[in-house]
Amino acid sequence: MSDKQFWYVIKQEDGNCEVADFEQPQTNTPKQESSRQHWGSFASEQEAIAKKIGLIRAGKCKPQ
């Protein structure tokens, strides 16, 4: 097992996007997130945040 983290941007039901981390790369997001749109995996939190900003600018996520 490695302690490397992988970062994802997950769209919430209200349209906001959340940056979340997981210990292993996900071929699918966790079961509770499976019906939600998601982007990733990213190697760092900064990359995931940059993607989230791009998604907000593209109108795919609401700004908080």
Side-chain angles (χ1 to χ4, degrees):
M1 296 239 183
S2 104
D3 53 347
K4 183 171 172 127
Q5 292 182 323
F6 296 88
W7 296 86
Y8 293 83
V9 178
I10 302 170
K11 188 171 186 177
Q12 303 299 308
E13 291 178 12
D14 63 2
N16 290 323
C17 287
E18 168 184 304
V19 174
D21 67 320
F22 296 95
E23 294 270 327
Q24 298 179 6
Q26 306 288 313
T27 53
N28 295 316
T29 54
K31 291 184 192 239
Q32 68 270 23
E33 308 290 350
S34 63
S35 64
R36 297 184 187 163
Q37 204 171 11
H38 65 281
W39 298 265
S41 69
F42 301 100
S44 71
E45 183 178 18
Q46 290 81 11
E47 288 180 53
I49 291 169
K51 178 64 174 182
K52 177 181 172 181
I53 292 168
L55 292 167
I56 291 169
R57 289 180 177 169
K60 295 191 180 210
C61 293
K62 292 181 183 176
Q64 293 182 338

